[in-house]
Amino acid sequence: MTPSSALLAPAAALDLDARAAFCVALARSAGEIAREGFAARAAAGPDAGIGMKGPQDFLTETDTAVERHIKARLAESFPADGFLGEETGGTVEGHVWVVDPIDGTANFARAIPHFCISIAFVADGEIEIGAIYNPALDELHFARRDHGATLNDRPIRVSRTSAYTAACVELGWSNRLPNATYLAVLSDLLERGANVRRAASGALGLAYVADGRSDGYAELHMNPWDCLAGLLLVREAGGRVGPFLALDGLAKGGGVLAAAPGIASGMSAATGIPLEP
Ligand code: LIP
């Protein structure tokens, strides 16, 4: 199959079993690189130089090394698949791997062990495979469409929380939108009675909704590499999510909503992000 025709191959013609198994091993091998980079950064101390791509947008040498590793291994094993990475860009055409080499870079840069590698595979407008690996805790969240979600191979489900007075949610922030917009949503969620956190890794925020440790995650604009794996995890774990890909999120990014069913409608009203049926 030539690369161009392979890029247009329907998902049914793709070997998703092979890609799913490869994705798990790839997340763990990339995690080794991230773990070594994190140890070096922690040893260098708080005054070590931190790269900046822009205001509040950090880049470390580990981001670059991890993305290079993932991109090279995918090119070797699935040369006809597309690639879209946070640091090197890529394509949104055909079936494509979407990768954030270090999500939570602001934490990683300051030696805070709350970061992860996020890898998703998208085909025919569907998120087919998602992996989020936190090497600091050796926690691998994994999902394949219509096959459920796991944490270190154990099945996971979203929480059964339905009362906002018992809910703990996360509201992601970036400087891509006005602070007033963020504060309005934060205020709405607080007024509903929720406890609201922000831990600076959107992918882990979504993974924790999938395994029930958090009741919801929202962010008014996320890039596709930050959220696609997590959105699949939450849906496969029985949660509600917003229509990210249907609103051209792969090309433009967009609002992200993921929640336990019992509080999903309130999160949608607070953020203005609709829920998938
Ligand atoms: C992060 C996102 C998070 C957002 C952070 C940051 P990065 O991605 O996962 O949702 O709130 O500001 O953008 O830059 O650490 O890969």
Side-chain angles (χ1 to χ4, degrees):
M1 187 181 283
T2 57
S4 55
S5 60
L7 276 176
L8 301 175
L14 296 172
D15 185 344
L16 294 176
D17 289 338
R19 285 174 172 81
F22 187 88
C23 182
V24 169
L26 182 59
R28 288 195 175 278
S29 66
E32 285 305 312
I33 299 170
R35 209 182 341 258
E36 289 167 15
F38 185 73
R41 178 146 290 276
D47 299 327
I50 298 174
M52 303 291 289
K53 294 187 285 187
Q56 294 298 343
D57 195 1
F58 301 88
L59 175 66
T60 71
E61 59 282 357
T62 305
D63 290 83
T64 306
V66 169
E67 184 159 323
R68 184 187 313 118
H69 169 77
I70 292 172
K71 191 172 184 178
R73 299 293 80 71
L74 288 171
E76 288 165 2
S77 296
F78 303 103
D81 289 359
F83 181 88
L84 175 63
E86 176 173 18
E87 308 311 337
T88 59
T91 180
V92 295
E93 302 304 323
H95 49 275
V96 56
W97 294 91
V98 186
V99 174
D100 190 343
I102 300 289
D103 184 75
T105 302
N107 294 334
F108 185 97
R110 310 295 290 267
I112 298 171
H114 186 72
F115 63 91
C116 63
I117 293 145
S118 183
I119 304 172
F121 181 68
V122 177
D124 297 332
E126 294 283 357
I127 313 167
E128 293 288 352
I129 297 166
I132 293 174
Y133 182 49
N134 178 344
L137 297 179
D138 191 28
E139 290 189 340
L140 177 61
H141 291 79
F142 179 77
R144 186 175 157 194
R145 187 164 67 95
D146 297 337
H147 287 65
T150 57
L151 168 55
N152 290 352
D153 298 321
R154 293 191 308 275
I156 54 177
R157 298 291 296 174
V158 295
S159 77
R160 290 191 291 271
T161 303
S162 56
Y164 267 84
T165 50
C168 184
V169 302
E170 189 170 346
L171 181 62
W173 172 85
S174 74
N175 56 17
R176 297 186 289 270
L177 290 174
N179 287 336
T181 308
Y182 181 85
L183 292 172
V185 174
L186 175 61
S187 176
D188 186 316
L189 292 170
L190 292 171
E191 287 303 312
R192 291 174 189 268
N195 173 14
V196 184
R197 296 180 290 115
R198 193 226 163 208
S201 169
L204 283 180
L206 291 164
Y208 291 0
V209 175
D211 68 25
R213 287 186 280 186
S214 175
D215 301 310
Y217 187 91
E219 189 163 343
L220 297 180
H221 183 276
M222 290 182 85
N223 291 306
W225 43 80
D226 291 325
C227 66
L228 289 180
L231 286 170
L232 178 63
L233 277 164
V234 172
R235 191 191 294 143
E236 289 297 318
R240 301 289 305 278
V241 297
F244 185 83
L245 283 182
L247 300 179
D248 204 16
L250 186 59
K252 299 176 182 172
V256 169
L257 175 58
I263 63 158
S265 58
M267 292 276 293
S268 179
T271 60
I273 299 171
L275 288 163
E276 284 184 341

